[in-house]
Every structure is written in C-alpha cells, then in structure tokens.
Amino acid sequence: QVQLVESGGGLVQPGGSLRLSCAAAGTDCRYFMAWYRQAPGKQRELVASITSSGTNYYADFVRGRFTISRDNAKNTVYLQMNSLKPEDTAVYYCYLTTGRGYWGQGTQVTVSS
C-alpha cells in the first residue's frame, strides 16, 4: 500500500524559510511527484513537480523562491521554500503517480508576523 507522509510545516514570519518533506512508503519515489497547496476558500493548485528523469516545474508564483528535490536513497521528496509571503499560507500536499495517483495528508504552512 502506497503512503505519503508530509512533514515540516509550521508558522514562519514573512521572508522566512521552511523545508517540507514527503516520505514515500510502499513504492519508489522515482515517479512523477509534485507539491500542491490549498488555501482556505480556494482550489488546490500545483506548486512544483519533478519527473522521473528529474525535470522540475514551478508555478510562476513560486519560481525563484521554492526548490523541489528528491533523495532516492531516502525515498523522499523535498520542497525548500524561501522568501515566504503571507499568500503562501496554505495546506501543502504531496502527490505521486504510478499511473494511479496518491495524496499525502497535508501539512499546514502559515506565513504571518
């Protein structure tokens, strides 16, 4: 059974940094994986993704501030978030597809002074 477990969320001041982790169990993380986020009252949106070959994609609103990476030995994908803004406040979800999609439970990120 595939499980994705996110961690690393929390409260941070504007301009600060956080690193989210997504540990994959029951499968190899060398599939297409992505981070999405959902703010209250808004639709879930794609933040960043990484393909099996290592090609990265970033949404315009995070490009230059966020970095997605993968550690195959730890079966974990990361999202390094720098220069955080209040509008980055959301629940962040990890997603993996092996042909079938799987979601993590989400981790709350709050950017506030």
Side-chain angles (χ1 to χ4, degrees), residues 1-110:
Q1 183 177 357
V2 176
Q3 285 189 316
L4 303 175
V5 180
E6 300 105 331
S7 60
L11 173 64
V12 64
Q13 292 187 340
S17 298
L18 284 174
R19 188 177 80 157
L20 306 183
S21 299
C22 173
T27 186
D28 194 310
C29 76
R30 284 174 283 190
Y31 289 99
F32 176 90
M33 294 191 71
W35 286 95
Y36 285 76
R37 71 184 187 186
Q38 187 166 20
K42 295 188 176 181
Q43 289 189 328
R44 191 170 297 188
E45 59 186 359
L46 176 63
V47 176
S49 64
I50 183 166
T51 68
S52 57
S53 61
T55 301
N56 296 343
Y57 163 82
Y58 297 96
D60 287 343
F61 50 80
V62 302
R63 189 172 291 117
R65 299 189 297 124
F66 291 11
T67 302
I68 188 170
S69 63
R70 176 166 53 206
D71 185 333
N72 293 332
K74 295 183 178 180
N75 229 24
T76 299
V77 171
Y78 302 97
L79 186 68
Q80 177 67 44
M81 305 187 295
N82 298 328
S83 302
L84 283 161
K85 305 175 181 180
E87 51 264 43
D88 294 318
T89 296
V91 177
Y92 284 71
Y93 296 91
C94 180
Y95 174 80
L96 175 150
T97 179
T98 63
R100 175 182 172 180
Y102 299 90
W103 292 94
Q105 82 286 352
T107 185
Q108 176 70 45
V109 172
T110 302

